[in-house]
Amino acid sequence: MTTSPGPAPADAPSTTILSKEVDPYVVDGSQIAEPPSTLRGKLKFLGPGMITSAAVVGSGELLTATALGATVGFMLLWLVLVSTFLKVWVQIELARWSISTGRTAVDGYDDVPPRIGRRGWIAWLQLLMFLQFFIGQAGVISASAFAFSSLLPIGPEPYSLLSIGTWVAILVVVAIAIHSLNRYAVVERISTVLVLAVTLFAIAMVFLLQGTEFAWTLGDLGGGLRFQVAAGAIGVAIAMFGMTGVGAGETTAYTYWVVEKGYAAWTGPNDGTSGWVTRARGWISVMKVDAWVSWVVYTASTAAFYVLGAAVLHPQGLVPEGNEVMVTISSIFDSAVGTWGGVLFLVGAGLALFKTILANVPSLSRIVGQTLAVFGAYDWRDQTARNRWQRIIMIILPIGWGLLGTIASSPLLLVIIAGILNAVYLIGAAIATVYLARTQTDPLIRDGRPTEVMLWISAAAIIAVGVIGLVNAF
């Protein structure tokens, strides 16, 4: 590599988000800017991680983590920390590749061998993942409608098709209206506000227990942080690892938000100079702070929901499933602390689930849109065509989710198929990240052997969970 100085050093960005007139997916050197060097400066440029957190803490954490706590008590609290911690390394490495190349995950996945025809095997998997995305988000939007319908039913029966369907329609319209402009800044601001609100809500509900018969102790938390798995709880532990923290979808989507934030554009194209290496390392450092701050946020939320299940439901032998988790805990808070406690829980639960939809509408529109572009539907580099396709997809997705979530309360075959596809997607994303990090990320901007070891451990754990998920599905 040459040591020529390259372009003159640029000032720090004048704003913390790329101008809306700039196409973030065109990294041509016109937006080069120096990264902040202090922690305080880096914190000003956070954002992509908050969108990821908004997508993470949804039905998997609110409903599943709570149910898992109800099943085994405090015993697996440590696994919440471990599972979320291990997965961050794959997220960071894929984002490092994205910043250094200016490309996003779906584009990179197409490079991963072996090829099937003219496309990489993960590109074909992306087409199949449309079904998994569809089913998963349909469940989330119906669960959010369930919570709001419990508070304000439309008609005499809160869980009737009329009430649930009306609330689904309301949430769909709100989601489409918010994202009609297709602006990164809108997604970041809304996600940040809702993520912080839901995190504070979850923590507040945990401490609200202290004035009730379900109060927990430091001994309970300490016991839950010991590395232990009781006989018969292995299956629950594996399920928890797979369902908590960032999944393949969030890891994939994170690369789009990293690019749209401006990290890649501010770094500029790799021109072989020492200046580029310095900028790349600086903006990657900002990204890592962003990823770890978001890890703290969604881990705190997930742990709080888990504690609710362990402290409130487990002692009573209650292991509700699906939306019954919300109703059961709400009724317990209602009787333990007063009606306002149950209302507060349902409001917070509804918002927690709906913010997942608000984050996934734009996230999945980008993933779906670029997958279609990879298969020739349009030219991803054409900003006008890209925005048009994304706007159309952001209308189709929530409407489709709402319809499926309303009319199909338990499409068993579709759920099984979605589980199989998600397991394979986990494997594919982990393999792709290792491949791209090893073959396309400039060696001069890697972090060294300890980080590489953590990447391999993270990828191996994710692949193992994916394989176990496949075995269980069949």
Side-chain angles (χ1 to χ4, degrees):
M1 171 174 282
T2 178
T3 57
S4 59
D11 294 331
S14 56
T15 64
T16 60
I17 297 175
L18 279 181
S19 169
K20 63 182 180 180
E21 286 77 27
V22 175
D23 184 350
Y25 295 98
V26 176
V27 180
D28 57 8
S30 62
Q31 303 299 315
I32 286 176
E34 292 301 305
S37 57
T38 65
L39 177 60
R40 182 177 180 180
K42 293 174 182 177
L43 291 175
K44 294 179 181 178
F45 287 88
L46 304 189
M50 289 298 103
I51 304 175
T52 301
S53 296
V56 167
V57 185
S59 60
E61 281 64 26
L62 171 60
L63 303 181
T64 308
T66 306
L68 290 172
T71 302
V72 298
F74 285 91
M75 181 179 59
L76 293 181
L77 178 59
W78 63 271
L79 192 55
V80 172
L81 308 181
V82 171
S83 65
T84 57
F85 174 77
L86 282 181
K87 293 176 183 176
V88 171
W89 298 93
V90 165
Q91 174 190 347
I92 287 175
E93 286 308 309
L94 191 57
R96 184 197 306 272
W97 165 84
S98 192
I99 292 171
S100 68
T101 62
R103 300 169 65 196
T104 44
V106 170
D107 188 28
Y109 291 167
D110 191 40
D111 293 344
V112 180
R115 304 187 76 75
I116 302 175
R118 298 177 59 186
R119 303 268 67 91
W121 69 277
I122 304 180
W124 291 102
L125 176 61
Q126 284 289 148
L127 286 179
L128 295 175
M129 285 306 299
F130 291 179
L131 177 61
Q132 196 277 334
F133 296 154
F134 204 78
I135 296 170
Q137 297 310 301
V140 174
I141 199 168
S142 64
S144 180
F146 186 93
F148 289 123
S149 184
S150 298
L151 287 170
L152 296 171
I154 308 297
E157 173 54 49
Y159 308 128
S160 65
L161 182 61
L162 170 64
S163 188
I164 297 294
T166 303
W167 271 106
V168 165
I170 292 171
L171 298 180
V172 166
V173 170
V174 171
I176 292 174
I178 287 175
H179 293 302
S180 60
L181 295 177
N182 194 26
R183 292 280 183 263
Y184 169 85
V186 174
V187 181
E188 180 187 293
R189 289 164 186 161
I190 291 176
S191 296
T192 300
V193 170
L194 290 179
V195 162
L196 295 178
V198 168
T199 301
L200 291 175
F201 150 76
I203 295 173
M205 298 307 288
V206 168
F207 281 97
L208 194 61
L209 293 176
Q210 296 306 86
T212 73
E213 61 183 296
F214 305 107
W216 46 269
T217 66
L218 293 178
D220 292 328
L221 298 183
L225 295 176
R226 290 200 304 266
F227 293 93
Q228 57 180 334
V229 179
I234 299 295
V236 175
I238 292 172
M240 174 174 266
F241 186 92
M243 293 174 183
T244 54
V246 290
E250 291 86 13
T251 298
T252 299
Y254 188 63
T255 63
Y256 293 85
W257 302 126
V258 161
V259 169
E260 292 195 24
K261 176 69 173 180
Y263 296 161
W266 292 325
T267 296
N270 188 347
D271 54 9
T273 64
S274 59
W276 178 84
V277 172
T278 300
R279 285 194 309 276
R281 281 192 166 277
W283 286 112
I284 288 169
S285 177
V286 173
M287 176 272 294
K288 289 190 289 187
V289 172
D290 177 79
W292 285 113
V293 168
S294 68
W295 171 77
V296 170
V297 171
Y298 64 68
T299 299
S301 296
T302 305
F305 287 124
Y306 181 88
V307 169
L308 285 177
V312 177
L313 302 178
H314 182 69
Q316 303 177 78
L318 298 175
V319 186
E321 296 181 357
N323 294 333
E324 292 179 4
V325 171
M326 288 186 287
V327 175
T328 304
I329 293 185
S330 173
S331 63
I332 290 173
F333 271 111
D334 187 272
S335 59
V337 302
T339 302
W340 66 271
V343 170
L344 178 62
F345 182 81
L346 286 174
V347 170
L351 286 176
L353 293 162
F354 185 53
K355 74 169 177 49
T356 301
I357 293 296
L358 291 180
N360 278 326
V361 166
S363 295
L364 294 181
S365 77
R366 283 151 175 78
I367 294 173
V368 171
Q370 189 167 29
T371 301
L372 295 176
V374 165
F375 281 90
Y378 67 99
D379 184 358
W380 176 261
R381 295 167 297 180
D382 183 337
Q383 186 178 17
T384 301
R386 186 174 65 238
N387 286 338
R388 181 172 62 250
W389 275 83
Q390 286 181 4
R391 285 194 175 98
I392 292 171
I393 294 169
M394 283 193 289
I395 294 173
I396 294 174
L397 286 181
I399 291 176
W401 297 341
L403 289 174
L404 180 60
T406 301
I407 65 178
S409 59
S410 181
L412 182 57
L413 179 60
L414 293 180
V415 170
I416 293 172
I417 294 173
I420 294 171
L421 291 175
N422 191 54
V424 177
Y425 195 30
L426 277 171
I427 297 171
I431 291 174
T433 299
V434 172
Y435 176 84
L436 295 173
R438 298 279 295 176
T439 62
Q440 297 185 8
T441 299
D442 193 314
L444 292 178
I445 63 170
R446 297 175 188 164
D447 283 345
R449 185 55 60 85
T451 298
E452 185 177 4
V453 170
M454 288 306 304
L455 171 61
W456 280 97
I457 293 174
S458 176
I462 291 172
I463 291 171
V465 169
V467 170
I468 292 170
L470 280 178
V471 172
N472 289 340
F474 285 106

